[in-house]
Amino acid sequence: MNRKVVIIIIVVMSIALLGLMVIQTYWIKNAVTVKEAIFIQGVKEALTNVVYRLEKLEAARQFEEGAKQQEKWAQMMDSINRGLYQQDSSEIYATGLNRYIQKSMLAQEAIQNMMNRFRYIPVENRIDPQTLDSLLKNELNNLGINTAYEYGVFSPSRNIMPIQKTGKYPRELLDKGFHYSLFPSDMLANPDYLMVYFPNERKFLIRQLWQTLTISIVLILTIILSFSYTVFTIFRQKKLSVMKNDFINNMTHEFKTPISTISLACEALKDKDIQKANGISDTYINMIDEENNRLKSMAEKILQSAKLEKDNIALNKEEVDVHEIITESIKNIQLQVEKKAGHIITGLNAEKYLLQADKVHFTNIIFNILDNANKYSPITPQITINTENSYSGIIISIEDNGTGIGKANQKKVFEKLYRVPTGNIHNVKGFGLGLSYVKAIVGAHGGKIGLESELGKGTKFIITLPFG
């Protein structure tokens, strides 16, 4: 896929994703606003009911106090009447009238006091905090407002807040609380105010929308993950396409060389003079045989790769001698190493070196790593092979002094078709199948493979295999 097309697709998908997120956020914000309006309306209704019930409670107390005052006034009037009837007529005009007027004034004063008594009592003496708290709690719960609240009663005339629930939020009560006038029927008195503040108002509103918010977040995350996976897949397919083309180019190059050699050898053998020459024909025949084996080996690697892709690895396990297989593999590659004036050092120190493994696949593992060590050591290869025992198996390490592998490529070298960039694609021959095959076979044996490497200082492969 064209790079420009990929960029256009990513940009379009990003704009679409951003647009969906903006719309979703706007919708959630509107939902929170609606919930907030409902919350405010509910609080107002609850406070209105509380103020009304407080006034009813006070009216009941006033009625009770009035009844008592009325009883006293009736008793006073009875006393006046009895005094008047008990005195003779000559005393009524002298003393009785004065006493009647005096007691009438006292009665009038008593009635006036009864009417105005509650207007001049401090608000903290008119409201019981426990009753107020109980009323607030019941009214808020009835309207579905189940969150922590703080209340206070503020007296502007005295500039104090004599009643508070906890005393932790006086400033918030004044600045952010809901304010309602207490005892609105006291027309002549300075009003006191009931104030209520909700410390967790925002959390409560969000909690009311948790299902909606959860669904929205899940949908947004799903879209983001789908978008990310799509972009990842596009780049992965692009990368696989490049790797596939590199593989085809390398395979063509690798197969072309032995085919050309065989073709030239066959043409030479057709020459009658060469047929008559002793020894020359055998040389060409051996050359054809070597190149044929080389083609067979490369074809085998491709077939192995196809089997690995289908997870179709059949292991014929038997007891094998690890040291013997290492020795045989060294013999097979010794000439190639010596051509570059290199040498192989062994340190076969494992005391237990027999294990259950597939001999053919295990031999391929050792040979593939040795072959890579030789190929990626351009000048005088120094290859070291060591073995040692672990508590449950054997550890094989193969170290070289080659070009090394950068940290960015170390996790990728075991991927199929991946080859560490060398500048010239044909500088190091191969298909990029060797290490992916090695890792698959080691895993099939229940083992592990890792590497330690640094650019310019070589690479060390470490294989751990169990005995069983």
Side-chain angles (χ1 to χ4, degrees):
M1 187 180 291
N2 192 312
R3 180 180 177 84
K4 186 177 180 181
V5 174
V6 172
I7 293 173
I8 292 173
I9 291 173
I10 293 173
V11 170
V12 171
M13 291 178 68
S14 299
I15 293 172
L17 176 60
L18 185 61
L20 286 173
M21 291 177 66
V22 169
I23 293 172
Q24 195 76 7
T25 303
Y26 176 76
W27 182 78
I28 292 172
K29 185 178 178 181
N30 283 347
V32 172
T33 302
V34 171
K35 281 291 182 181
E36 189 173 8
I38 295 172
F39 174 79
I40 292 171
Q41 185 64 33
V43 171
K44 288 181 178 180
E45 184 178 346
L47 294 183
T48 300
N49 293 339
V50 169
V51 170
Y52 174 71
R53 294 187 66 180
L54 283 173
E55 194 157 36
K56 282 182 65 177
L57 289 173
E58 178 156 290
R61 287 198 299 272
Q62 286 181 357
F63 180 78
E64 184 180 351
E65 290 290 334
K68 292 179 181 178
Q69 292 291 337
Q70 188 176 8
E71 184 179 353
K72 291 180 181 179
W73 181 75
Q75 291 174 357
M76 189 182 300
M77 295 301 294
D78 288 342
S79 175
I80 293 172
N81 291 331
R82 284 195 299 270
L84 289 174
Y85 284 111
Q86 288 173 359
Q87 293 178 356
D88 55 25
S89 59
S90 62
E91 295 176 346
I92 292 175
Y93 294 100
T95 60
L97 185 59
N98 290 333
R99 291 176 63 187
Y100 172 76
I101 294 172
Q102 184 180 7
K103 290 186 177 184
S104 296
M105 291 177 65
L106 290 173
Q108 185 178 3
E109 184 179 353
I111 294 171
Q112 189 68 27
N113 288 338
M114 179 185 71
M115 298 302 294
N116 295 325
R117 181 170 179 264
F118 288 95
R119 293 181 182 175
Y120 304 106
I121 296 176
V123 69
E124 60 267 28
N125 295 332
R126 300 174 71 180
I127 296 177
D128 178 32
Q130 292 183 351
T131 303
L132 175 58
D133 188 36
S134 178
L135 289 173
L136 280 170
K137 185 176 182 180
N138 289 335
E139 291 297 332
L140 291 172
N141 287 340
N142 290 339
L143 293 167
I145 303 173
N146 303 312
T147 184
Y149 62 88
E150 176 75 11
Y151 68 82
V153 176
F154 180 67
S155 177
S157 60
R158 295 182 289 166
N159 196 30
I160 61 172
M161 194 176 292
I163 299 176
Q164 294 186 61
K165 183 178 181 181
T166 63
K168 294 181 179 179
Y169 304 97
R171 178 53 57 187
E172 287 81 358
L173 283 167
L174 291 170
D175 296 340
K176 302 177 183 178
F178 293 86
H179 301 172
Y180 264 75
S181 176
L182 290 166
F183 309 116
S185 61
D186 293 352
M187 302 300 293
L188 301 177
N190 291 324
D192 297 313
Y193 292 93
L194 171 62
M195 299 179 174
V196 179
Y197 170 67
F198 297 90
N200 302 321
E201 178 182 345
R202 182 60 59 179
K203 291 181 181 178
F204 173 73
L205 293 175
I206 293 174
R207 193 166 64 245
Q208 294 290 304
L209 292 167
W210 72 269
Q211 290 182 332
T212 304
L213 289 174
T214 301
I215 294 172
S216 298
I217 291 171
V218 169
L219 290 175
I220 290 173
L221 287 177
T222 302
I223 293 171
I224 292 173
L225 291 174
S226 300
F227 171 73
S228 301
Y229 180 76
T230 302
V231 173
F232 171 77
T233 302
I234 290 172
F235 280 106
R236 187 169 180 271
Q237 290 299 325
K238 191 173 185 299
K239 178 183 175 183
L240 287 175
S241 177
V242 173
M243 292 172 66
K244 182 192 72 174
N245 291 334
D246 289 344
F247 171 76
I248 293 172
N249 290 335
N250 288 333
M251 184 178 67
T252 302
H253 178 79
E254 292 291 327
F255 274 88
K256 186 176 180 180
T257 301
I259 289 173
S260 298
T261 303
I262 291 172
S263 177
L264 289 173
C266 290
E267 289 293 331
L269 287 173
K270 290 179 182 179
D271 191 328
K272 295 181 180 180
D273 294 332
I274 291 178
Q275 290 177 1
K276 295 177 181 179
N278 293 330
I280 296 178
S281 59
D282 292 337
T283 301
Y284 283 113
I285 291 172
N286 290 333
M287 186 183 298
I288 292 171
D289 186 56
E290 288 177 2
E291 295 300 324
N292 182 60
N293 289 332
R294 182 179 171 188
L295 286 171
K296 182 180 178 182
S297 175
M298 290 187 291
E300 183 65 27
K301 284 185 179 180
I302 296 172
L303 289 174
Q304 287 172 356
S305 173
K307 289 180 180 180
L308 292 176
E309 189 172 351
K310 296 178 181 179
D311 293 326
N312 187 20
I313 304 174
L315 298 178
N316 297 316
K317 287 189 177 182
E318 58 182 299
E319 188 175 75
V320 298
D321 185 330
V322 173
H323 290 172
E324 182 181 344
I325 289 176
I326 290 174
T327 303
E328 289 297 323
S329 299
I330 290 172
K331 286 182 181 178
N332 291 334
I333 203 168
Q334 188 77 44
L335 288 176
Q336 299 179 36
V337 174
E338 289 177 352
K339 283 181 181 179
K340 299 167 73 174
H343 59 276
I344 301 174
I345 302 170
T346 58
L348 308 180
N349 301 318
E351 296 180 358
K352 297 180 180 180
Y353 45 82
L354 299 177
L355 54 80
Q356 293 293 319
D358 185 300
K359 187 174 183 179
V360 174
H361 285 300
F362 186 75
T363 302
N364 290 338
I365 289 173
I366 302 300
F367 184 82
N368 273 329
I369 296 177
L370 288 174
D371 186 43
N372 280 344
N374 180 54
K375 287 192 297 186
Y376 288 95
S377 300
I379 302 174
T380 316
Q382 303 289 329
I383 304 171
T384 303
I385 306 177
N386 292 316
T387 64
E388 59 180 303
N389 286 120
S390 64
Y391 68 95
S392 62
I394 188 169
I395 300 173
I396 305 168
S397 64
I398 301 175
E399 186 175 2
D400 62 59
N401 64 334
T403 56
I405 303 171
K407 290 184 178 180
N409 295 315
Q410 287 181 14
K411 293 182 179 180
K412 301 178 182 178
V413 293
F414 295 108
E415 295 178 6
K416 190 175 177 182
L417 301 180
Y418 185 81
R419 301 185 69 205
V420 178
T422 58
N424 180 1
I425 198 170
H426 300 304
N427 188 35
V428 179
K429 296 180 180 181
F431 300 143
L433 300 174
L435 289 178
S436 64
Y437 166 77
V438 168
K439 184 178 181 180
I441 297 301
V442 170
H445 282 84
K448 295 180 180 179
I449 183 170
L451 66 89
E452 298 173 0
S453 184
E454 190 175 343
L455 284 174
K457 295 185 178 181
T459 303
K460 181 179 181 180
F461 286 93
I462 302 169
I463 301 172
T464 304
L465 291 169
F467 288 120

